[in-house]
Amino acid sequence: MAIAAFDDTYVQDPVNPRPPNFPQVAGWDQIPAHVPRELAFNCGLMTGTEFLAAPHNFMAAMHQKYPPIVYNVTESINYWIATKHEDCLFVLRHTDIFSNRDATPFPRDPNDYFFFIPIEIDPPHHRKYRNIVDPLFCPAGVAKLEGHIRQRAIDLIEGFAGKGECQFTTAFGRPLPVSVFLDIMGLPQDMRSTFVEWADIMIHSPDPAQVGVAFGKAIEYLKRAIAEKKSNPDNGVISLIANARIDGRPLSDKEVFGFVCFLWIGGLDTVYATLNNIWLWLAQNPDRVQEIIDRPKDIDSVVEELLRRYSVTFSGRIVMQDVVIRGVQLKKGDRIQACLPAANFDPDVFPEPLKVDFNRHARRSWLLPSACTAAWAGTLHGWN
Ligand code: HEM
């Protein structure tokens, strides 16, 4: 099968988006010549039985099992994986070498393409989009939401407190991020169960047709909501984005939709997965729960450490120019994943990485944009 060549003429235009045309190779017979065979493995990241059985133990073990820069060979796509903290920082901080285009795995209609904004936008345009929502998502902005988020959490807990137990994922883990998302976006709470259903199907259904239907319904709903907020603006984020201007011009429909849609996807499964992991650990370690209660002043370190230990997101990038990392030659057009959870288990940065240590002062943890950390301090992601 012919592999698309790297399209040097492609220019990212968020106003008139076209699908980026980067080479996509898959399988053992499509390993490029510059990849040394001793670095090529089918790691089983995200899909293998070992990973699915214990994802965080799997990612911690990658530091012993694989070279720090490994070439992951899979049936659907081949890509480099960086597991060392230092190398992941290098990938995330060198936007001149590593592009965000094609950074998310969500399929879109090539004839009706849009970028997920801001995550798929490279500098210099990226900052212009961030400026629109930063006042809300910066630490000070999210701190203003804390009381509201806490009340949403209390309302849910009071819903099952009398029973003395609950099914955490359905009673709290899923509805809380969706409720808060609907509030932030300016959407009605009576859409909560519908959004939960769409999110579950879109991110977890093995049936692409079912995913397509759910995504289609969500697109239709969000487009109607955007049109409504254009004619009747309010204080929600959809209205903020729908009526925003960049360089004096209004955002195009594609920009507004790509932005709103990504905020929906970016904020749902990440929080849900993080809450579930952390609450399972709390349920299994009642003595540590008492320790948290006994040291309220350390809540930020406690949250940072639990977000490090149970991190859930990965960052995909396209290599835009030949580069050598740890003596390994990567070539323009290759794909690389900064495996953030594995980086948070880097023993050179986090000694005894699997240990939950609230004294670790894991201020180095760069897993989350600060806004998210502050947002969820009161309570607590695959690229799959
Ligand atoms: C525990 C929950 C969360 C985790 C672990 C998480 C993690 C991340 C990570 C690692 C990135 C960088 C991805 C990259 O550059 O490849 C990111 C970006 C982003 N996240 Fe989150 N996130 C969480 C919750 C949220 C929430 C609740 C929202 C909003 C409602 C959100 C909105 C975004 C946005 C807009 C970006 C793109 C930022 C940019 O491109 O500048 N995230 N998130």
Side-chain angles (χ1 to χ4, degrees):
M1 183 179 84
I3 297 167
F6 187 91
D7 178 359
D8 273 315
T9 66
Y10 179 90
V11 175
Q12 184 175 46
D13 176 1
V15 181
N16 305 297
R18 278 186 308 120
N21 183 12
F22 294 117
Q24 183 150 341
V25 293
W28 290 95
D29 56 358
Q30 289 189 351
I31 298 179
H34 66 273
V35 178
R37 275 303 164 125
E38 66 273 18
L39 295 183
F41 296 81
N42 178 343
C43 300
L45 189 66
M46 256 68 91
T47 52
T49 44
E50 255 184 80
F51 175 87
L52 296 171
H56 291 97
N57 294 354
F58 176 97
M59 288 183 280
M62 290 179 83
H63 292 282
Q64 288 75 41
K65 209 168 162 192
Y66 300 110
I69 301 288
V70 61
Y71 190 76
N72 193 26
V73 180
T74 80
E75 278 166 28
S76 56
I77 190 168
N78 295 354
Y79 54 95
W80 295 100
I81 302 176
T83 53
K84 295 292 289 174
H85 193 268
E86 183 187 1
D87 299 339
C88 289
L89 279 181
F90 178 76
V91 170
L92 288 180
R93 290 181 174 161
H94 286 80
T95 52
D96 52 333
I97 304 173
F98 304 99
S99 166
N100 271 52
R101 284 169 248 180
D102 230 5
T104 69
F106 300 108
R108 277 148 282 180
D109 177 352
N111 304 314
D112 185 19
Y113 199 76
F114 62 89
F115 286 109
F116 284 111
I117 292 177
I119 197 154
E120 288 186 330
I121 308 299
D122 286 330
H125 300 302
H126 177 264
R127 173 43 54 197
K128 296 174 187 170
Y129 295 102
R130 276 292 296 260
N131 287 345
I132 296 170
V133 291
D134 268 4
L136 214 104
F137 289 129
C138 66
V142 171
K144 290 190 198 120
L145 297 170
E146 182 163 347
H148 182 82
I149 298 172
R150 194 175 289 281
Q151 191 54 51
R152 284 281 176 217
I154 292 168
D155 295 347
L156 287 169
I157 293 167
E158 282 174 354
F160 53 74
K163 303 185 197 119
E165 64 172 32
C166 74
Q167 210 307 329
F168 181 84
T169 52
T170 49
F172 192 89
R174 188 54 102 187
L176 180 72
V178 175
S179 280
V180 173
F181 166 78
L182 293 170
D183 291 333
I184 292 175
M185 301 305 270
L187 295 171
Q189 281 298 319
D190 60 19
M191 280 300 292
R192 191 176 79 193
S193 52
T194 308
F195 267 89
V196 164
E197 189 197 323
W198 288 340
D200 260 341
I201 294 170
M202 268 186 61
I203 296 170
H204 296 291
S205 165
D207 173 359
Q210 212 197 10
V211 171
V213 170
F215 197 18
K217 288 182 183 163
I219 288 178
E220 215 186 294
Y221 177 84
L222 289 175
K223 284 189 172 168
R224 276 205 310 277
I226 289 166
E228 161 60 24
K229 302 294 178 185
K230 276 194 173 154
S231 42
N232 298 303
D234 61 19
N235 298 329
V237 172
I238 295 184
S239 179
L240 177 72
I241 295 169
N243 298 294
R245 302 176 79 84
I246 282 183
D247 301 333
R249 67 167 179 83
L251 268 61
S252 70
D253 291 351
K254 295 252 177 184
E255 288 171 296
V256 172
F257 178 74
F259 209 151
V260 169
C261 194
F262 180 68
L263 283 175
W264 175 48
I265 293 174
L268 277 180
D269 218 53
T270 46
V271 181
Y272 170 60
T274 304
L275 286 174
N276 288 344
N277 281 308
I278 291 177
W279 250 259
L280 178 60
W281 181 82
L282 293 170
Q284 292 165 339
N285 297 275
D287 56 322
R288 305 303 301 276
V289 174
Q290 193 54 49
E291 183 188 343
I292 296 171
I293 294 168
D294 296 343
R295 43 192 299 185
K297 285 197 296 318
D298 298 335
I299 191 65
D300 282 357
S301 300
V302 166
V303 169
E304 283 296 336
E305 175 61 356
L306 291 170
L307 288 170
R308 177 198 70 82
R309 177 64 177 80
Y310 291 105
S311 40
V312 293
T313 48
F314 308 82
S315 290
R317 299 289 187 269
I318 304 284
V319 180
M320 300 301 281
Q321 54 180 276
D322 295 1
V323 63
V324 174
I325 309 179
R326 281 179 199 275
V328 178
Q329 178 68 66
L330 279 65
K331 291 241 179 211
K332 184 166 75 170
D334 287 353
R335 292 167 188 266
I336 183 164
Q337 182 199 84
C339 186
L340 310 182
N344 274 332
F345 293 129
D346 184 343
D348 294 336
V349 180
F350 304 105
E352 297 183 83
L354 285 171
K355 184 177 166 203
V356 173
D357 172 3
F358 297 140
N359 302 319
R360 195 190 286 277
H361 301 295
R363 299 307 307 165
R364 290 192 199 88
S365 171
W366 44 266
L367 170 67
L368 290 177
S370 55
C372 303
T373 310
W376 301 103
T379 60
L380 267 198
H381 201 128
W383 200 32
N384 43 17

